[in-house]
Amino acid sequence: MTHRIRALRDVAVPPLKIAMIADLHACRPGMAEDRIARIVAQANGLGADLICLLGDYPGHTRGTTPLTPDEVVPRLTALRAPLGVVAIMGNHDWLDDLPARRGEIPETRWHRAFRDAGLTTLHNAATTLRKDGLEVTLAGLDSQMAHGRKRPGADDFASVSARIDPGRFTILLAHEPDIFPDLPGHVDLTLSGHMHGGQVRLFGRALYCPSRYGTRYDLGHFREGTRQLVVSGGLGNSLLPIRFGIPPAITVVDIG
């Protein structure tokens, strides 16, 4: 699925093609190492300027065996794009590491595995992309549901915001799209996963999404004021090994 985006503010932005890989939920069977390798090869063949990994790497589907970071991360290191490969973490990356989810340690084993493998992870941080003489801010937020629904997440938008230049086109990676309505107008584009498009869609509608907004931001491209959001349907399954009406896909965003 490809979404074409243009800036809704008067800011310069170079043409950018971004490939979004969301919600692998790596497990056997269904999303084993060979399938991850095929997804990596497909992503590399899209000609994207930037590849974004949007969290939820371990599986937790009934009747499956989740893969470990040692089994997943080496496959992801084969991703290649001119402006790089950038990752954030999702709620299930925290759920997969009980001491981290309880708040006893500040990061998960997935954070450590990505760092040890040399994969760039934006943990409530921002960086600058440069193309065609123009600069774009790329920011990354940690999971808003890292510690469950009833406790504060691992996200710290105040820290991220301090690193954003309002005069520059800004892209925010946020695993859960729930933060989108609360963002300032100079966060031009938010890229999210988490929703799986509902995982089961009847007559084009999601039956359920794990969000405080229900199915409001279930799938696709949304605009509110000068802000835009693209939510990927993702690749793996959550809880049940079922997808209906929403096939797994790498989501592509063309900006410019």
Side-chain angles (χ1 to χ4, degrees):
M1 182 177 292
T2 299
H3 299 280
R4 290 178 171 81
I5 304 293
R6 63 179 181 85
L8 300 181
R9 296 189 299 136
D10 187 17
V11 290
V13 56
L16 285 174
K17 185 175 185 179
I18 302 174
M20 301 166 59
I21 296 177
D23 305 296
L24 279 175
H25 291 293
C27 61
R28 299 189 194 93
M31 188 61 77
E33 296 95 326
D34 58 343
R35 185 176 174 195
I36 295 171
R38 292 196 300 272
I39 290 168
V40 166
Q42 183 181 1
N44 285 343
L46 291 173
D49 298 295
L50 175 72
I51 297 175
C52 294
L53 298 164
L54 294 172
D56 275 9
Y57 307 103
H60 67 112
T61 305
R62 291 177 187 174
T64 67
T65 301
L67 300 189
T68 67
D70 289 343
E71 294 168 314
V72 176
V73 175
R75 274 75 188 174
L76 299 180
T77 60
L79 289 165
R80 296 287 185 272
L83 296 183
V85 178
V86 179
I88 57 170
M89 295 295 154
N91 58 309
H92 283 286
D93 308 315
W94 289 84
L95 181 65
D96 191 54
D97 189 329
L98 192 55
R101 187 177 186 226
R102 287 174 175 166
E104 297 167 7
I105 53 177
E107 63 179 12
T108 74
R109 60 180 185 156
W110 291 89
H111 288 85
R112 295 190 293 274
F114 273 60
R115 182 173 61 246
D116 292 347
L119 283 167
T120 299
T121 304
L122 291 178
H123 175 60
N124 297 319
T127 188
T128 299
L129 306 177
R130 295 177 177 85
K131 184 184 177 188
D132 298 344
L134 298 174
E135 294 184 339
V136 172
T137 298
L138 178 67
L141 201 63
D142 215 314
S143 173
Q144 301 152 61
M145 295 176 59
H147 309 302
R149 293 180 181 272
K150 297 182 179 180
R151 297 175 57 197
D155 57 307
D156 183 359
F157 183 72
S159 177
V160 173
S161 181
R163 295 169 170 82
I164 292 175
D165 178 355
R168 190 187 291 170
F169 189 89
T170 295
I171 302 168
L172 176 68
L173 310 181
H175 176 70
E176 301 94 348
D178 286 25
I179 195 171
F180 177 65
D182 302 321
L183 292 173
H186 60 265
V187 177
D188 298 278
L189 175 62
T190 302
L191 304 180
S192 297
H194 183 64
M195 307 291 263
H196 297 213
Q199 202 165 292
V200 174
R201 296 178 71 87
L202 296 177
F203 306 107
R205 294 176 178 267
L207 299 184
Y208 168 80
C209 286
S211 165
R212 70 176 188 233
Y213 294 104
T215 60
R216 176 174 166 181
Y217 301 118
D218 61 341
L219 177 70
H221 181 198
F222 303 87
R223 302 175 185 86
E224 293 184 7
T226 60
R227 296 171 292 110
Q228 300 180 76
L229 166 70
V230 173
V231 180
S232 172
L235 290 151
N237 297 327
S238 180
L239 296 178
L240 297 175
I242 297 169
R243 273 185 179 255
F244 184 84
I246 173 68
I250 298 171
T251 301
V252 175
V253 176
D254 273 322
I255 304 171

